[in-house]
Amino acid sequence: MNFLEQLKDLNSQVKANISLGKLPDFTNIVIAGMGGSGIAGSIFSEIYDQVPVQVVSDYRIPQYAGKNTLFIGISYSGNTEETIQASQEAIKRGCKVKLVTSGGRLSEIGEDVTRVPGGLQPRSAIGYLLKPFLSSFISDSEEEYNKISHILKTMDEDNKQQKILAEEIVKAKQIPVVYGHYPYRWIAYRWKTQFNENSKLLGYSTFFPELNHNETVPLRGTYGKENFRFFTFGDAPDSITKRMIITSEITDTEFTRIETVGETLLQKLFYLIHYGDYLSYHIALERNIDPEEVNIITELKERLAGK
Amino acid sequence: MNFLEQLKDLNSQVKANISLGKLPDFTNIVIAGMGGSGIAGSIFSEIYDQVPVQVVSDYRIPQYAGKNTLFIGISYSGNTEETIQASQEAIKRGCKVKLVTSGGRLSEIGEDVTRVPGGLQPRSAIGYLLKPFLSSFISDSEEEYNKISHILKTMDEDNKQQKILAEEIVKAKQIPVVYGHYPYRWIAYRWKTQFNENSKLLGYSTFFPELNHNETVPLRGTYGKENFRFFTFGDAPDSITKRMIITSEITDTEFTRIETVGETLLQKLFYLIHYGDYLSYHIALERNIDPEEVNIITELKERLAGK
């Protein structure tokens, strides 16, 4: 599949029948995952709060992780060294361990493995990686996933809006900064990583209302502000919308506001994810850059392995 | 106190006798705090992992927060609307609620209030705000805090290194980006916020090894890289040090590495905090800007309150 086909694959991924299987009893959840795989866990951690959920993006897991912990190790390739090491530690500690992967070494170290189809860039498998969390904890309604699929397909057919935005950003040589808000804080981070990997742009994310306590200060008349493009998302509660409007006014900063499409939280989440996919994809094309290629990450892994 | 005196006050803050008092039984901790107050909770959350600790920087608290939750609401001024609302909700839910503040409305809504001395900028009270967490959960050794105080005082007397770095940054018109690593990820964020508030500079933070899965890509030859200055910290495990070196080499990016000073984790934490204090302070002076003034945050709060 070429990269555009991978992006378009998302609408079928969300309909795939993937879950974590029978859930054991647990009092907390620890998720280990890096980059595009870890983001699935982070997005889940923001919309599920019946028990404490901690996502670790590192080699280590917290001390409290033990027999009452549901540990979920997630690595699309199955060969992420941080996630493998964290998962091995979770097994040693007696956590209830579930692993999500398309294969690789991760599939061999545990017994309870949820397999997802391989062959994609990890970041383009976000549907496959989110689905086990969503169907096991949030919703398993086929109708809901059909609706999401329809929303994504509509964007696959028409993403002119994203293309126009991409042209503006490249023309002005801007660095994107995404201001999320609950429950879209990790969508903002997903956008940041898509700008990094697809567009090969630096990019950052933070969120309302926290940014009103620090980043708002330099938004008024700092040097370098003209090098950035600031995004906000729609579907905010009144208290946050008010903050967005006032922040923009008193700092004289334009925010590019991306409205959500959809009726439910899941529909809106996937809409915003896909919006960032296309925006970062079009930026790459505008820059005459291959959106798929991330050779440097492979190179780094080889150098780390001493090759 | 002028702002420099506030920075210098840190060495006496760490010796102050402030704790959360008797701790109840609990199975998880939820901390509510924004900006400079919330950072104290975040730094604590990275070095204490005997139970799940979640810092919420928002109006809301997670659904699981209930009678087995130790809830700590922290606001230096005591008038932060997000923290007040979160704390009220925690009381309603039957959490075990402790509040940390110098006064304001927060001190009136709960019964178990830890009072810290007032009169400083919240970000300059980081010692007072960290101390309750540290002495209640990590260490209450007077000797340790004397050593920390000595390390801080040494920097108060000689911060030429930070001044030189500041001159370079301002001269080259750079935006600082701080690459932390466990257990200094939130110190990196603290630096970001100090750049924002003291230096009035945009600035960002992320961490190793996560950034090797995304931000490493644009570090090789993107547009705009020359506008940034990248920082890393010392005292990393071998696996992370190796990542820092290889990342720098294969992306041809210079990292400004700040080594730690001190023997224990707490000593190193405070050293790095104070390093960021002085670096951001000197950047402000280089820019002929008042490091203390954050009028826009006050203005924003007034506008939000409809004044």
Side-chain angles (χ1 to χ4, degrees), chain A residues 89-100:
Chain A
E89 177 65 22
I91 292 167
K92 211 184 293 173
R93 296 258 197 97
C95 301
K96 291 156 182 173
V97 174
K98 288 181 179 279
L99 305 171
V100 179

Side-chain angles (χ1 to χ4, degrees), chain B residues 207-227:
Chain B
F207 64 92
F208 281 98
E210 169 67 7
L211 70 92
N212 278 153
H213 298 265
N214 35 65
E215 186 155 332
T216 303
V217 176
L219 281 184
R220 178 145 71 180
T222 186
Y223 67 52
K225 194 174 93 176
E226 67 280 6
N227 298 326

Side-chain angles (χ1 to χ4, degrees), chain B residues 53-67:
Chain B
V53 181
Q54 183 172 359
V55 180
V56 292
S57 297
D58 213 323
Y59 296 90
R60 54 180 299 288
I61 62 173
Q63 205 48 53
Y64 68 79
K67 61 184 178 17

Side-chain angles (χ1 to χ4, degrees), chain A residues 282-297:
Chain A
H282 281 300
I283 292 175
L285 298 196
E286 276 302 309
R287 298 186 66 209
N288 290 312
I289 276 175
D290 177 0
E292 179 167 14
E293 175 274 311
V294 285
N295 296 341
I296 198 156
I297 293 183

